[in-house]
Structure formats: C-alpha cells, structure tokens
Amino acid sequence: MLLLLTLIFSVTTALAPPTSQIPTLSNRLLGKFSNVKQVTSELSSSPPLTPGISGGHELLFSTISRVDCLPYNYNDDPHSEIGILATYRFGHSKGTIFRTRLYTFTDLPGSKIAMRVCKLLEPPSDSPDPNMMYTEGIDFDAIPNCDVIWSSVPGQFDPDLFTYLPSLPSLVSTSAFHGTLGKSGSEVISDRTKKLMTVFDELSLTESVLYLNDRAFSKQTGEQLYGNFKNMPYILDKISASCCKDFNWLTGKATSNKIIQEKLRKLNCNSNGTPIIVSN
C-alpha cells in the first residue's frame, strides 16, 4: 500500500503543471527605480563619462505600479490579467515623462514568459483596429513584435542574446531574471519621427536592481537614435519597493498621469474580463 501511494504521488507530481514565475517576476518590477548611483560614478570618473559617444548614461527615474482588473485576457491565460504600468522620466521623480508603458504577462512553453509591451493611445474616432486591445474606448495598443521573452528560471539565459553580461560576471551568478527581444531586435515605427527603426532590448532583474539595455537604430541610415553607445545597461536601483499603490484600472487612481487617469476612469469590466464602457 505504501509503495502504491508513493507511486501515485510521484505520478501526480510529475503531471502537475509547473508553478508560474509571473507573480515573482512582476512583483520584482514594482517600485521606484533610479540610476543616480551609476550616473554619479560616471561623472566622477576621469575623464567624466557623459551621455552619448563617450559611453555615459542619462539620469533616469521610473515608477512601476500594479494594474488591477485588466479588461481583457490574453490567450486565456489567467496570469495575463497581471499587469503593471510603468512611467519613465529623465532626471528626478518630477522630470519629464518620455515613455509610458503597460506590460502584461503570459507563460510560454520551454520555461519562458512573454511580457507584452503596450503603448498609450488616443481613443479612435472611427471603427477600432482589430489589432487593438479593446473594442471601444481603446487606451493601450500592443506594439507589434515587441514582446520581451524572459526565462522563467531565475539565473538562466542564452549568452548569445546578451551583450553586456560578459562584462558583469557577478550578475551571471545571481538568481536574476533575464529577458530580451532577441538577437536581431524588432522593427518598430518611431512615435516621434514616424520612421522605421530597429530596437534592441536586453534586461536583467534582481530583487533590488533593474538592468536595462534599450537601444534603437535608424533602419535607413543605421544611426543610433537612443540608448547607451557603449552597449552598457542602465543600472536602475530600486530606491523604494513600497512606494506605489496598486493602480486601479476602473478608477484611474494611484497615478499622477492625468491623461491615463481620465481615460482609465471611464473603463469598467465584468467578471470574465470583457470591457464595458460606462458613462461619466
């Protein structure tokens, strides 16, 4: 009998689905991040490293909050309802916002996690594009071919896909999550110039630091448009883990971005995640 119970337990364990790492990954991303230590060190070096061809980094500040009650479900994956809203600023916490993104997650085969990258949109004036997230009141649209693929096994990565890890051996030995757009990057139309560019993105995430190597090049000329010119990541320390209240999709609260606040305040969703537009 004991042998039979042992065999049943072993078979049940083997057939059980692996525990998703999406909650762990998304929770690590929450908080306020800044690379002030990195920039201070670069400016104190001799000669000083400034942003641009000398290899320095701009001072960045990011606030990442959880989003409650996302009004859709990606590929019927319950974890896709986990979303986070990120704002990126130049300088300090009151600096100019240069990027706002919504990230959602889904498990993939082969111990991978896809992080869908969505940008803020103005509501459409005519019929919605079928590629948009919602049927009405569209606020965010997934950027095509820009899913960041993370390894769901902390500490695991493909060395051919990361340009900066060889120069940061201490990071390789940690239990960091590593994510990338892939070796060939992704082609994206610039919001600013409306021209085609190739974007490369490599990320590593420990419990207290976000490494971000985000670069873009003109598809026409090959000129680097943004990102570090020496292929070294922005090293964003988590300066506060408990700073961000959960962002509620229904009310638009817990954000200082008035555009998002006004748009998301008008959205509601029913129990199965289908969006309902409510009047104000």
Side-chain angles (χ1 to χ4, degrees), residues 14-171:
L15 294 177
T19 302
S20 174
Q21 289 296 311
I22 289 176
T24 303
L25 174 63
S26 60
N27 284 337
R28 279 195 190 184
L29 284 165
L30 299 177
K32 288 184 177 180
F33 296 82
S34 173
N35 66 331
V36 62
K37 289 182 181 180
Q38 179 185 39
V39 172
T40 300
S41 175
E42 291 175 346
L43 294 179
S44 300
S45 64
S46 182
L49 293 178
T50 56
I53 59 174
S54 68
H57 294 78
E58 298 89 351
L59 179 61
L60 302 183
F61 182 90
S62 178
T63 301
I64 305 178
S65 307
R66 188 184 307 282
V67 178
D68 285 339
C69 195
L70 284 176
Y72 62 91
N73 188 292
Y74 178 44
N75 287 349
D76 296 321
D77 183 345
H79 293 294
S80 70
E81 296 179 357
I82 296 177
I84 57 177
L85 184 70
T87 58
Y88 299 90
R89 301 174 184 264
F90 287 121
H92 49 77
S93 60
K94 301 298 182 181
T96 302
I97 295 177
F98 67 90
R99 184 179 296 166
T100 300
R101 293 289 185 263
L102 173 71
Y103 303 120
T104 64
F105 304 85
T106 189
D107 284 306
L108 298 178
S111 301
K112 304 291 183 183
I113 296 171
M115 184 175 79
R116 174 164 280 194
V117 181
C118 309
K119 63 181 179 180
L120 181 68
L121 290 179
E122 291 296 326
S125 57
D126 52 9
S127 299
D129 185 312
N131 294 320
M132 303 295 189
M133 282 284 187
Y134 317 118
T135 57
E136 281 188 83
I138 299 169
D139 290 300
F140 285 93
D141 180 24
I143 303 175
N145 305 314
C146 273
D147 286 10
V148 174
I149 306 302
W150 296 82
S151 170
S152 63
V153 181
Q156 186 179 93
F157 65 95
D158 184 343
D160 292 334
L161 300 181
F162 289 85
T163 57
Y164 60 80
L165 284 180
S167 60
L168 296 171
S170 60
L171 182 59

Side-chain angles (χ1 to χ4, degrees), residues 158-256:
D158 184 343
D160 292 334
L161 300 181
F162 289 85
T163 57
Y164 60 80
L165 284 180
S167 60
L168 296 171
S170 60
L171 182 59
V172 176
S173 62
T174 67
S175 59
F177 287 99
H178 300 285
T180 178
L181 281 177
K183 195 170 186 178
S184 57
S186 296
E187 292 187 359
V188 178
I189 296 177
S190 169
D191 291 335
R192 183 175 59 86
T193 67
K194 308 304 180 185
K195 295 182 178 180
L196 196 62
M197 59 183 182
T198 304
V199 175
F200 297 88
D201 211 354
E202 304 160 13
L203 305 96
S204 297
L205 178 67
T206 70
E207 293 184 0
S208 59
V209 185
L210 172 62
Y211 297 79
L212 173 61
N213 192 21
D214 183 16
R215 295 158 291 130
F217 300 83
S218 167
K219 183 68 175 178
Q220 183 177 7
T221 66
E223 174 190 5
Q224 185 165 347
L225 303 175
Y226 63 76
N228 185 257
F229 281 70
K230 299 295 184 182
N231 229 7
M232 292 301 295
Y234 293 83
I235 302 176
L236 300 160
D237 294 294
K238 183 179 290 190
I239 58 178
S240 176
S242 59
C243 66
C244 305
K245 297 179 181 178
D246 287 358
F247 179 86
N248 193 302
W249 189 274
L250 309 184
T251 64
K253 292 182 178 179
T255 176
S256 60

